Amino acid sequence: MAATKNGAGKLKGETPAKAPPLPAGSDLPTSFAETPGAGGETHQSTNAAELTMTTQQGIPIADGQNSLKAGPRGPTLLEDFILREKIFHFDHERIPERVVHARGYGAHGVFELTDSLADVTRADVLGTVGQQTEVFVRFSTVAGNAGSMDLARDVRGFAVKFYTNEGNWDIVGNNIPVFFIQDAIKFPDLVHAVKQEPDRGFPQAQSAHDNFWDFASLSPEAWHMIMWQMSDRTIPRSFRTIEGFGVHTFRLVTAEGKSTFVKFHWKPRQGLQSVLWNEAVKINGADPDFHRRDLWNAIESGDFPQWDLGVQLFDQETADKLPFDHLDSTKLIPEEDIPVRIIGTMTLNRNVDNFFANTEQVAFCTQNVPPGVDFSDDPLLHGRNFSYLDTQLKRLGSPNFTHLPINAPRSPVSNFQQDGHMAMRNPKGRANYEPNSWGAEGGPRENPARGFVSFAAEIQAPKQRIRSETFADHYSQARQFYVSQLPIEQKHIGDALVFELSKVERVDIRARAVSHLRNIHDDLAATVADGLGMDLPNAAVAAKPTLDLPPSPKLSILANGPVSFKGRKMGILLTDGSDAKMFAALTAALDTEEATWEVIAPKIGGVTLDDGTAVAAKHKIDGGPSVLFDAVAILPSADGAAMLAQDAPSKDFVSDAFGHCKFIGVGANAKPLFDEARLPAELDDGFVALAKGKDATAFVTACRELRFWPREMNVDLDAA
Ligand code: HDD
């Protein structure tokens, strides 16, 4: 063993696995720093002249640290153009944050098609098996501002931009397959209701307040999505462990104009995984950047996250037979009814090199579809198609936002659109209009064979402001979601509802919320009413009676979890004198599992093990609480354990790991710490003894289950 060991499994700074090269045709710059002539390349240069700091106008700077003054004590002179420009630029650094999904994190990657859909679409990106297409993905929370925390209870955005050979295709989805509302005209109300209340400007990044539940309790259509929102889907362990859904029904269209309906699904190869609510609350304090750090670290270390792209395909005849309207975004089609066909894999393999240029400036638009992909008549989708273009103009300040490298198609762009703020791509030549008679010099021409042709849907209808009768069943799929959950997941839904509604001050709003639960599931309604200490209200008036749909196991997180501890993180608590052999065995077992690990120690300088090996710490104990890990191993020396037993953060470390149902590796000397942390005298099966070397493998194998759920019933008052 080396004399000094790093305090973490895969540290930044180790050589990451190489990202696969970009597919052919993707030679356009992907960040401002790489844009020729854009100025950013000076950061990359090794040329001495170019390394000289300059103004934005390229004037070399001799002193950028002191403003120009009359004498050393001033006054400062107005002629100081270097000061003026630097402050001017700084004053204008901010752009408006997204009105929703403000907090997000992105990464570059590649999509590879593994199953051709050429029989149902002319889209090039879905035609040729093996074809690789560059992608950029941005994950996000919805309600919080850009500076809010990652583990808010919130829907996660899952937006994918494919840079196809036929222009950009954006699937702007969420990690939940349904939405709160059926018609886009209600979107501003929904967003106003969930964001900070306008008079006081809080609460930030949470739905647990009167306005949200007031709106929700007056919107029966929201209650299917509310069941998802109250489930652990909205407190995911990682962006890497969420599903993505295109939500709406789209169309795939052949060259002959034949249409097939499609719903898009992203399935994480990492398996689904969430945290507990109590854990989420603490993670937000310990590491508000938990999700972005996790994604960044995974990609930096070469553990590239992957999602399979799946499609549910169905024709008009099947659509007509579905029990729900396929144009209603508050409904899903159970995978048991129409199976998801996997057609490709997306790999995120490159972190951004500039957050602003990539993640902030990326502009997703639902209306970005290549020939062969088209829209259904979902009224929510149509409103979105209007909204996204609009919002990019507001956010990015110019109709030329498509000229930004992150938004620029990798395929040729050619038209007569010109000028505007910050135009970097103006048509050359004399003709900037059509038709024109300038022949070959006359610029681009339409191409009916290659060009986008809308599906020729027949429409004959009166103009009305009306909601379709076929959208009226609001509770059946909400109930189906609930009965599809494992008991522990059902408990979490009940706990979440009680928590959220306990933050609602108006008692009538609480009661109105519970009245909807009565239409969903009586057990749930009774649990929540009891948890709130209120009488069970009458059921809300339902437009249609709730159907008893069969459970859909695909809707459970726990039934679709990972099969290994790969990509998960172990926290190893060490002190001076800890057992070197056990530490070596455990880290070897974790490396074999392709899991990561980090050392937590009383001092950040690290520890010296019982064989003299020095091990660096990744965290000091109070900076590395157990909520940051999927499982923990407690390996102090005897003296170390006695010391930690007097230390509140160390006691929190073990009692939180216990309370959050984590698997805990028990070193030979851990007991005094457990006793002081008031862990039960009799340890349950979520504790695994780490006495001999081979125990390490048994412990890591146990950790594949991720949590020891039976414990929750013993540690949670609500479970009693
Ligand atoms: Fe939206 C952003 C997803 C309904 C209007 N939305 C936005 C983002 C995602 C979604 C993932 C962030 C994209 C990014 O990372 O930049 N939105 C959805 C889903 C919806 C949905 C899955 C329902 C199925 N959205 C929706 C409606 C409207 C909007 C009905 C308006 C009528 N959404 C916007 C927006 C945003 C946005 C205001 C804000 C920032 C942006 O577009 O680029 O236009």
Side-chain angles (χ1 to χ4, degrees):
M1 186 193 289
T4 302
K5 280 212 85 166
N6 282 328
K10 284 178 181 168
L11 280 179
K12 184 164 166 12
E14 288 177 358
T15 315
K18 276 257 179 305
L22 293 178
S26 56
D27 54 352
L28 267 167
T30 51
S31 81
F32 191 72
E34 296 162 22
T35 312
E41 71 271 23
T42 52
H43 296 297
Q44 315 288 320
S45 176
T46 50
N47 177 317
E50 286 182 19
L51 275 175
T52 300
M53 182 183 285
T54 71
T55 67
Q56 293 281 16
Q57 307 291 348
I59 314 291
I61 294 176
D63 180 353
Q65 311 276 310
N66 294 294
S67 55
L68 187 66
K69 300 178 204 73
R73 299 179 60 240
T76 305
L77 301 181
L78 196 59
E79 82 175 61
D80 188 351
F81 63 89
I82 296 176
L83 166 74
R84 163 88 176 102
E85 184 202 75
K86 188 173 175 183
I87 302 283
F88 150 81
H89 200 276
F90 171 76
D91 287 342
H92 296 275
E93 270 178 16
R94 289 289 167 275
I95 62 172
E97 68 174 37
R98 289 165 173 82
V99 58
V100 279
H101 297 265
R103 182 171 179 79
Y105 206 67
H108 302 275
V110 169
F111 171 74
E112 180 166 339
L113 194 75
T114 52
D115 185 8
S116 171
L117 288 181
D119 53 332
V120 286
T121 176
R122 57 180 285 208
D124 173 79
V125 60
L126 298 177
T128 311
V129 169
Q131 173 163 253
Q132 294 197 338
T133 302
E134 187 190 343
V135 296
F136 185 78
V137 177
R138 184 174 180 273
F139 302 105
S140 48
T141 51
V142 181
N145 296 340
S148 55
M149 59 286 181
D150 276 354
L151 262 157
R153 176 180 292 285
D154 202 350
V155 179
R156 296 300 180 288
F158 193 128
V160 183
K161 188 181 284 294
F162 297 76
Y163 302 92
T164 85
N165 294 331
E166 298 172 311
N168 291 350
W169 176 27
D170 297 350
I171 302 184
V172 195
N174 280 340
N175 73 330
I176 291 180
V178 290
F179 203 60
F180 289 111
I181 50 171
Q182 296 170 321
D183 189 315
I185 200 166
K186 293 185 73 167
F187 190 68
D189 298 306
L190 166 71
V191 174
H192 287 176
V194 74
K195 284 228 173 203
Q196 301 101 304
E197 298 189 0
D199 52 355
R200 59 211 66 191
F202 62 83
Q204 165 73 249
Q206 45 193 303
S207 52
H209 59 107
D210 286 61
N211 279 7
F212 175 74
W213 287 99
D214 188 28
F215 176 83
S217 64
L218 294 168
S219 307
E221 73 204 64
W223 281 80
H224 182 198
M225 175 115 168
I226 285 173
M227 296 303 286
W228 286 79
Q229 184 200 4
M230 293 298 109
S231 79
D232 294 342
R233 296 262 175 178
T234 47
I235 42 173
R237 157 66 177 84
S238 160
F239 292 134
R240 299 179 293 131
T241 60
I242 61 174
E243 285 181 297
F245 302 92
V247 181
H248 312 279
T249 299
F250 289 84
R251 288 178 189 278
L252 296 176
V253 186
T254 62
E256 295 72 38
K258 180 173 173 292
S259 153
T260 306
F261 290 121
V262 60
K263 278 184 178 276
F264 295 105
H265 297 244
W266 293 106
K267 301 226 170 248
R269 291 207 171 168
Q270 297 72 229
L272 299 180
Q273 187 184 343
S274 287
V275 300
L276 297 177
W277 175 238
N278 183 271
E279 205 180 0
V281 169
K282 292 172 179 169
I283 291 172
N284 283 332
D287 184 4
D289 303 312
F290 188 70
H291 282 155
R292 51 181 63 193
R293 192 187 307 280
D294 170 272
L295 184 67
W296 170 275
N297 284 343
I299 294 175
E300 283 296 290
S301 70
D303 183 13
F304 300 142
Q306 293 189 304
W307 285 260
D308 290 324
L309 176 62
V311 290
Q312 284 178 301
L313 298 174
F314 54 103
D315 57 17
Q316 185 67 56
E317 203 186 336
T318 311
D320 293 341
K321 286 193 204 131
L322 290 171
F324 300 99
D325 198 325
H326 63 295
L327 304 182
D328 174 358
S329 275
T330 67
K331 307 295 185 307
L332 52 78
I333 304 177
E335 293 186 35
E336 289 77 8
D337 296 351
I338 299 183
V340 172
R341 174 172 155 195
I342 300 299
I343 57 159
T345 304
M346 175 171 77
T347 306
L348 296 185
N349 56 21
R350 191 160 54 94
N351 277 317
V352 297
D353 55 6
N354 182 284
F355 179 83
F356 181 80
N358 296 272
T359 311
E360 248 345 74
Q361 295 200 128
V362 66
F364 294 95
C365 297
T366 48
Q367 72 273 27
N368 287 355
V369 289
V373 181
D374 208 337
F375 313 112
S376 72
D377 288 342
D378 178 341
L380 195 70
L381 177 57
H382 289 190
R384 293 183 74 191
N385 285 348
F386 180 82
S387 179
Y388 287 72
L389 193 58
D390 216 19
T391 212
Q392 309 312 350
L393 180 62
K394 170 78 185 170
R395 242 170 32 81
L396 299 167
S398 160
N400 293 317
F401 70 85
T402 51
H403 298 194
L404 295 170
I406 192 68
N407 295 322
R410 305 307 188 239
S411 57
V413 174
S414 204
N415 55 49
F416 294 121
Q417 294 169 31
Q418 65 175 34
D419 303 353
H421 287 295
M422 308 294 167
M424 288 183 242
R425 196 181 59 205
N426 275 321
K428 304 253 179 336
R430 184 154 182 188
N432 59 355
Y433 57 92
E434 63 166 349
N436 67 57
S437 60
W438 291 97
E441 293 162 33
R445 295 280 187 266
E446 291 92 350
N447 183 337
R450 278 198 74 222
F452 187 93
V453 180
S454 292
F455 175 69
E458 304 251 348
I459 298 172
Q460 177 66 48
K463 259 195 230 171
Q464 290 166 304
R465 285 190 191 275
I466 198 167
R467 193 74 60 89
S468 170
E469 186 64 28
T470 55
F471 285 27
D473 178 344
H474 302 311
Y475 301 113
S476 299
Q477 287 204 343
R479 176 183 293 177
Q480 182 179 39
F481 179 77
Y482 186 68
V483 300
S484 302
Q485 306 301 308
L486 301 183
I488 199 81
E489 294 174 309
Q490 291 183 336
K491 173 183 174 298
H492 291 174
I493 292 172
D495 291 351
L497 281 158
V498 171
F499 173 87
E500 295 266 321
L501 293 172
S502 71
K503 297 283 180 186
V504 170
E505 289 168 8
R506 265 181 50 191
V507 174
D508 60 318
I509 297 178
R510 283 185 218 153
R512 205 162 53 220
V514 178
S515 73
H516 292 282
L517 297 177
R518 295 216 57 189
N519 292 329
I520 296 172
H521 203 286
D522 262 334
D523 292 353
L524 179 63
T527 307
V528 174
D530 181 53
L532 292 169
M534 60 181 262
D535 292 336
L536 205 53
N538 291 332
V541 177
K544 288 207 170 160
T546 311
L547 304 173
D548 266 321
L549 302 170
S552 165
K554 290 285 183 192
L555 303 182
S556 155
I557 299 172
L558 294 180
N560 297 286
V563 290
S564 85
F565 199 61
K566 181 177 188 295
R568 271 64 186 177
K569 197 193 283 181
M570 172 85 68
I572 308 177
L573 183 58
L574 299 179
T575 62
D576 282 338
S578 286
D579 180 346
K581 282 204 182 95
M582 180 49 69
F583 177 65
L586 181 57
T587 52
L590 288 163
D591 291 346
T592 305
E593 187 81 355
E594 296 182 59
T596 57
W597 49 270
E598 288 174 356
V599 166
I600 305 101
K603 291 187 180 158
I604 196 66
V607 296
T608 306
L609 303 181
D610 62 0
D611 68 349
T613 308
V615 177
K618 178 79 179 170
H619 306 276
K620 181 175 174 326
I621 295 174
D622 50 3
S626 61
V627 292
L628 301 181
F629 307 102
D630 296 287
V632 295
I634 314 296
L635 298 178
S637 63
D639 287 351
M643 178 183 72
L644 297 183
Q646 306 307 316
D647 177 48
S650 303
K651 289 189 271 186
D652 285 350
F653 189 93
V654 290
S655 68
D656 269 348
F658 175 73
H660 299 146
C661 304
K662 287 182 180 161
F663 283 91
I664 301 177
V666 187
N669 305 307
K671 194 77 171 79
L673 175 58
F674 288 3
D675 291 343
E676 282 299 319
R678 308 220 170 162
L679 266 48
E682 200 168 319
L683 300 180
D684 62 38
D685 291 347
F687 291 84
V688 179
L690 292 174
K692 300 188 217 78
K694 67 177 167 46
D695 294 341
T697 308
F699 176 42
V700 173
T701 305
C703 289
R704 291 176 182 171
E705 294 285 321
L706 299 181
R707 307 237 180 208
F708 182 70
W709 290 116
R711 193 186 295 150
E712 184 164 337
M713 295 302 172
N714 303 325
V715 296
D716 186 358
L717 183 64
D718 293 336

